[in-house]
């Protein structure tokens, strides 16, 4: 009951944070009048509609990485009577608010300090990559919910075991959350399994290096059992419960070959870092919008190093749940380093580090929050006047980082070349072509902006139309050009295909469709 006086402030804090998260989700959708989507969102929409129509997690159209999110959408559609597309556009983005109490509970149990957990949960929703993934109509919310719940259950089990109390219910819950994570995204489940395995190996090495006794009764010994059990569970999910996920393992050999080529000195196939130069008006803008990420990485790594030094010197003894957080940070850091190598080798579409980075930030944020709370406490003790100035300065920083995060999440057109929205005239042209087009390839721009819109349109599959973006080729029959494409080409200097007015078969003033043969 020693934390009882904190319950009321914690409740108000969570209420205010939930309000901020709802406002942020509303801005992200309203910025483009809810006219934005991605290829991942489109595939999940189609998969959810197939699950709902066919009544099985293995319908004719599946999402290859997991069935959890399509099944959830099918359930919500059946429960509410809303269509899958309505849920995807207007409901799912706001369900990000459910992550607020989960994040706070997880960080409280990992750090053992409610004030650190409050700051960490706020910082998590200021992180642009996490906010972008969670506010989309994708599986990320379910994936994050399962991952945070898994970490929370593990942290509680370690703490309870260290205190000599029974942990049976937390063991069962941890495996249920692990199963949920695997059904939501087998790829991210394997990422967490890798990080947990690294945590166990790091703990064993730490025990030997630090010359501490690694008794079998230590709570962290359970990391070995979690790794082995979840490996078996992941195998069952991939090869027996949901076989489409097993198809993703077919790229393993090419990954090994490409990494070997890189290590042998062969030139990398791709350079993922060119994205910054191509997607933003300047590198300075990108750095300004991601400054919060660099601050979190700096603070968290400083905290990690300082804690390691203190433990080695015998000046600090971590509780099992705190040690778990410290080891987990190491595991995800190693995984990020490996992902950089894979991206430089051109594997996994050269965006693996982009996908891994938010998961590293989930465990980096509480370490950074511990550093900030410690620094603010020291400054307040040395300089009494800072007790008045620090809250104001923190408020200004939070507002600045919040604005930067929202600008990056929405790929603000004033700052970014990577426009993610579509207009109503473009939507009408896609729908018209779906009704009147025939088996042919359709060029839809220099990026995937309209490709996702077309893939989510069931009419395109029925008419046999195939999407094409980037450079058109000899197979292309239809060209879809819009005012937005012209404006973007004027900004970036991209060349649009040459078309002639006598080939135009559709025009709504803002969008035209041409058939060249």
């Amino acid at each position: 009951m020693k934390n009882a006086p904190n319950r009321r402030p914690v409740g108000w804090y969570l209420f205010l944070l939930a309000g901020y998260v709802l406002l942020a989700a509303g801005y992200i959708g309203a910025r483009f009048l809810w006219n934005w989507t991605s290829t991942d969102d489109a595939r999940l929409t189609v998969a959810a509609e197939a699950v709902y129509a066919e009544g099985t997690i293995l319908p004719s159209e599946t999402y290859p990485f997991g069935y959890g999110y399509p099944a959830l959408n099918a359930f919500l559609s059946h429960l509410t009577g809303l269509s899958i597309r309505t849920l995807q556009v207007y409901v799912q983005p706001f369900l990000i608010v459910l992550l607020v109490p989960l994040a706070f509970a997880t960080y409280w149990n990992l750090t053992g300090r409610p004030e650190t957990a409050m700051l960490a949960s706020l910082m998590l929703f200021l992180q642009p990559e996490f906010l972008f993934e969670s506010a989309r109509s994708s599986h990320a919310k379910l994936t994050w919910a399962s991952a945070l719940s898994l970490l929370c259950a593990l942290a509680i089990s370690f703490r309870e075991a260290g205190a000599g109390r029974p942990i049976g219910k937390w063991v069962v819950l941890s495996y249920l959350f692990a199963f949920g994570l695997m059904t939501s995204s087998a790829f991210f489940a394997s990422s967490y399994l890798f990080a947990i395995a690294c945590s166990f190996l790091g703990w064993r090495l730490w025990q030997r290096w630090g010359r501490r006794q690694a008794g079998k009764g230590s709570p962290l010994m359970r990391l070995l059992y979690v790794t082995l059990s979840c490996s078996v569970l992941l195998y069952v999910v991939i090869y027996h419960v949901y076989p489409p996920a097993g198809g993703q393992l077919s790229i393993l050999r090419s990954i090994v070959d490409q990494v070997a080529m890189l290590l042998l000195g062969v030139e990398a196939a791709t350079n993922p870092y060119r994205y910054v130069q191509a997607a933003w008006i300047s590198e300075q803008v990108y750095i300004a919008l991601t400054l919060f990420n660099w601050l979190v990485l700096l603070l968290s790594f400083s905290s990690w190093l300082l804690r390691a030094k203190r433990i080695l010197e015998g000046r600090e003894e971590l509780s099992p749940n705190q040690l778990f957080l410290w080891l987990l940070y190491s595991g995800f850091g190693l995984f990020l380093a490996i992902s950089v190598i894979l991206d430089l080798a051109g594997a996994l579409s050269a965006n693996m580090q982009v996908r891994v980075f938010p998961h590293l930030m989930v465990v980096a944020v509480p370490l950074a929050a511990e550093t900030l709370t410690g620094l603010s406490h020291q400054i307040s003790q040395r300089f009494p006047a800072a007790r008045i100035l620090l809250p104001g300065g923190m408020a200004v920083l939070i507002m600045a980082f919040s604005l930067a995060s929202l600008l990056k999440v929405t790929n603000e057109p004033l700052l970014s070349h990577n426009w993610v929205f579509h207009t109503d005239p473009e939507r009408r042209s896609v729908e018209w072509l779906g009704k009147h087009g025939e088996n042919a390839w359709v060029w839809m721009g220099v990026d995937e902006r309209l490709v996702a819109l077309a893939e989510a349109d069931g009419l395109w599959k029925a008419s046999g139309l195939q999407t094409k973006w980037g450079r058109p080729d000899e197979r292309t029959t239809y060209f879809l050009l819009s005012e937005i494409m012209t404006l973007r080409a004027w900004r970036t200097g991209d060349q649009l295909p040459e078309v002639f007015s006598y080939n135009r078969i559709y025009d709504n003033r803002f969008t035209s469709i041409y058939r060249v043969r």
Side-chain angles (χ1 to χ4, degrees), residues 4-22:
N6 293 326
R7 289 181 179 177
R8 188 171 181 180
V10 165
W12 276 108
Y13 171 80
L14 293 179
F15 176 78
L16 293 175
L17 180 57
Y20 164 76
V21 170
L22 287 174

Side-chain angles (χ1 to χ4, degrees), residues 66 80 131 181 244 289:
T80 63
L131 188 60
L181 180 59
L289 296 183

Side-chain angles (χ1 to χ4, degrees), residues 193-465:
L193 185 57
F194 175 87
I196 291 174
C198 288
S199 299
F200 171 74
L201 294 176
W203 173 69
R204 294 296 294 180
L205 291 173
W206 183 262
Q207 293 291 335
R208 289 200 174 198
W209 187 27
R211 297 179 181 178
R212 290 173 169 81
Q213 184 179 358
K216 293 184 179 179
S218 172
L220 291 184
M221 189 68 189
R222 212 184 124 232
L223 288 174
L224 174 62
Y225 311 139
V226 171
T227 300
L228 296 177
S229 302
C230 287
S231 297
V232 174
L233 187 59
L234 182 62
Y235 174 85
V236 172
V237 170
I238 290 177
Y239 288 105
H240 297 282
V241 177
Y242 197 67
Q248 302 305 307
L249 298 180
S250 61
I251 61 176
L252 181 59
R253 183 173 180 179
S254 64
I255 291 177
V256 174
D257 291 342
Q258 290 172 352
V259 172
M261 290 173 62
L262 177 66
L263 296 179
L264 290 174
V266 179
E267 183 178 355
T270 59
N271 183 358
Y273 304 101
R274 291 177 183 170
Y275 168 81
V276 175
Q277 299 174 350
W280 299 92
I281 59 175
S282 70
E283 294 181 5
Q284 291 74 21
V285 166
Y286 178 80
I287 292 174
L289 296 183
T290 58
L291 185 60
F292 180 78
N293 290 344
W294 302 110
L295 178 63
V296 170
L297 288 177
L298 176 62
L299 292 174
S300 61
F301 189 62
S302 300
S303 174
W304 185 86
L305 286 177
L306 181 61
R307 181 159 285 176
K309 181 175 181 295
R310 287 176 175 175
I311 295 175
L312 282 175
E313 294 174 350
R315 293 190 293 131
E316 184 174 4
E317 191 71 28
L318 297 180
S319 63
N321 49 325
Q322 292 174 324
L323 183 57
F324 174 55
L325 173 62
W326 186 81
L327 292 169
L328 202 62
Y329 180 86
S330 309
F332 274 114
L334 176 61
F335 193 28
L336 181 64
I338 294 174
S339 69
V340 171
I341 296 176
L342 293 177
D343 280 351
L344 290 174
L348 292 176
S349 302
N351 67 352
M352 189 175 179
Q353 60 189 291
V354 176
R355 296 178 178 274
V356 173
F357 184 75
H359 295 274
L360 171 64
M361 295 298 285
V362 166
V363 294
V365 157
L367 292 179
E370 285 182 337
T371 302
L372 282 176
T373 53
L375 286 175
S376 63
H377 181 68
Q378 293 177 6
I379 293 174
S380 298
Q381 285 186 330
R382 292 187 179 184
F383 307 99
R387 298 176 183 178
I388 301 176
L389 299 177
L390 274 178
M394 288 290 292
V396 171
L397 282 177
I398 290 172
M399 288 188 290
F401 287 137
S402 175
L403 175 62
S405 178
L406 291 174
L407 291 175
K408 186 176 186 300
V409 167
T410 55
N411 285 277
E412 173 56 45
L414 294 175
L415 305 175
S416 172
H417 300 321
N418 184 29
W419 297 356
V420 297
F421 63 94
H422 58 267
T423 63
D424 289 334
E426 288 175 324
R427 177 184 290 276
R428 290 197 299 270
S429 66
V430 169
E431 293 174 348
W432 183 91
L433 191 56
K435 294 178 181 178
H436 300 91
E438 56 188 20
N439 296 327
W441 285 85
V442 184
W443 184 86
M444 307 190 70
V446 298
D447 54 26
E448 297 178 89
R449 187 174 59 90
L450 295 183
V451 172
L453 181 61
E455 289 183 354
D457 192 333
L459 293 173
W460 276 56
K461 182 180 178 181
S463 57
L465 294 171

Side-chain angles (χ1 to χ4, degrees), residues 151-182:
L151 297 182
C152 184
L154 288 175
I156 294 175
S157 69
F158 296 147
R159 186 190 65 218
E160 296 295 290
R165 290 188 285 266
I167 61 170
K169 63 180 179 180
W170 298 111
V171 171
V172 173
L173 285 174
S174 64
Y175 286 121
L176 287 176
F177 294 140
F179 179 76
L181 180 59
M182 295 171 191

Side-chain angles (χ1 to χ4, degrees), residues 82-94:
L82 299 174
S83 69
I84 299 293
R85 294 169 191 268
T86 299
L87 287 171
Q88 282 284 81
V89 175
Y90 300 108
V91 177
Q92 283 289 355
F94 291 99

